[in-house]
Amino acid sequence: MEASLGMAKITALKVQKKNPNRINVYLDGTFAFGLSRIVAAWLNIGQELSEQKITELQAQDTYEVAYQKAVNFISYRTRTTQEVQRKLKGLEFESAVIDDVIERLKKNHFLGDAGYAQRWVENRVDLKPRSHRMMAMELRQKGIGDEDIDRALEHAPEDEELAYEALKRRIHRYLRMDFQTYKKKAGAYLGRKGFSYGVIPSVLKQVWNEEQEDLLPEQEQ
């Protein structure tokens, strides 16, 4: 029986050798295109496809490929919405496809800037303390909105505590210096971490006094 006018018949469906997650579709005895397994799942040999249906299948496949690329991208580490958008744009997917993928990722809880910001702040506080102002600036550079940033910083320690922790981790570099040299170099370090001049002097004095007290017994021996 001949295919209907404007229709093409599926004559074979073959799993790709190099990528078992994709199916090669043959129409009227000739290879036509490849599809993701999930898109090709409902196809059967002998089924007839119109040009419109073929176009729809290929569009669905493009979307599915983009989605899987995004899932793979975020599987290595947490990403921001902006990072995923840039990745997919670099792979030359159209804006409409990217928007749909982002929406699906968020719906499936694979992507969320609020969660990213919270984990990022916690990591900074634990490993690389810096000021609220600097953390906010860095998150904005990653495309995080102010509302998510404010929420993430809400429960972070105050700048005084963060400056103290940052300096204590580095104090060994300044132990052999006189106070004025220490004040200049350690103060510049805290400044680079985004701490204000309203915070730095008191933290410098506190850490210096603690270290001098720790050294006192050793000096008296």
Side-chain angles (χ1 to χ4, degrees):
M1 180 178 179
E2 294 183 359
S4 303
L5 185 62
M7 304 288 283
K9 181 181 292 185
I10 299 175
T11 52
L13 297 168
K14 299 181 180 180
V15 177
Q16 292 184 3
K17 293 181 179 180
K18 293 184 178 181
N19 187 350
N21 290 318
R22 292 190 63 79
I23 303 295
N24 286 336
V25 180
Y26 291 78
L27 299 177
D28 299 330
T30 304
F31 169 75
F33 48 82
L35 294 175
S36 301
R37 269 186 179 273
I38 192 170
V39 178
W42 68 278
L43 299 180
N44 297 295
I45 295 174
Q47 183 177 353
E48 293 186 343
L49 302 176
S50 65
E51 291 185 7
Q52 180 181 349
K53 190 61 182 180
I54 291 171
T55 299
E56 291 175 1
L57 286 170
Q58 291 175 319
Q60 291 173 19
D61 181 64
T62 297
Y63 166 75
E64 190 62 34
V65 169
Y67 180 76
Q68 294 303 326
K69 293 283 186 183
V71 169
N72 183 64
F73 183 57
I74 64 179
S75 68
Y76 298 104
R77 67 174 177 83
T78 306
R79 308 281 186 174
T80 66
T81 298
Q82 187 180 83
E83 286 176 324
V84 176
Q85 289 172 329
R86 287 176 178 172
K87 177 66 174 180
L88 295 179
K89 187 175 181 179
L91 294 173
E92 300 184 349
F93 289 104
E94 295 182 357
S95 297
V97 173
I98 295 174
D99 291 343
D100 288 345
V101 168
I102 294 296
E103 183 178 349
R104 181 177 171 187
L105 289 170
K106 289 182 176 180
K107 184 177 180 180
N108 291 337
H109 304 292
F110 291 159
L111 184 67
D113 286 353
Y116 177 94
Q118 184 65 48
R119 289 188 291 273
W120 191 92
V121 168
E122 291 172 354
N123 180 269
R124 278 288 189 259
V125 169
D126 291 341
L127 303 178
K128 298 179 179 180
R130 59 203 57 208
S131 71
H132 281 222
R133 180 173 64 86
M134 180 164 282
M135 286 191 283
M137 180 184 70
E138 291 174 337
L139 284 169
R140 288 192 189 97
Q141 291 173 344
K142 293 177 177 294
I144 305 298
D146 286 345
E147 185 176 341
D148 289 331
I149 292 173
D150 291 343
R151 190 179 296 112
L153 291 172
E154 188 176 10
H155 300 295
E158 297 297 327
D159 273 6
E160 289 79 2
E161 183 178 343
L162 291 168
Y164 175 84
E165 290 298 329
L167 185 53
K168 288 290 284 187
R169 297 179 187 206
R170 193 182 176 91
I171 192 61
H172 64 278
R173 300 193 180 196
Y174 310 116
L175 291 178
R176 297 183 181 277
M177 298 178 181
D178 60 77
F179 180 73
Q180 291 303 320
T181 304
Y182 154 79
K183 183 179 177 181
K184 179 179 179 181
K185 292 186 176 295
Y189 168 72
L190 291 178
R192 292 193 298 272
K193 292 293 183 180
F195 296 107
S196 70
Y197 289 109
V199 170
I200 293 174
S202 61
V203 172
L204 288 174
K205 186 175 181 180
Q206 179 183 359
V207 174
W208 175 267
N209 289 339
E210 289 176 357
E211 293 301 322
Q212 293 307 305
E213 289 177 1
D214 289 341
L215 291 173
L216 188 59
E218 181 178 323
Q219 293 173 347
E220 292 178 344
Q221 290 178 357

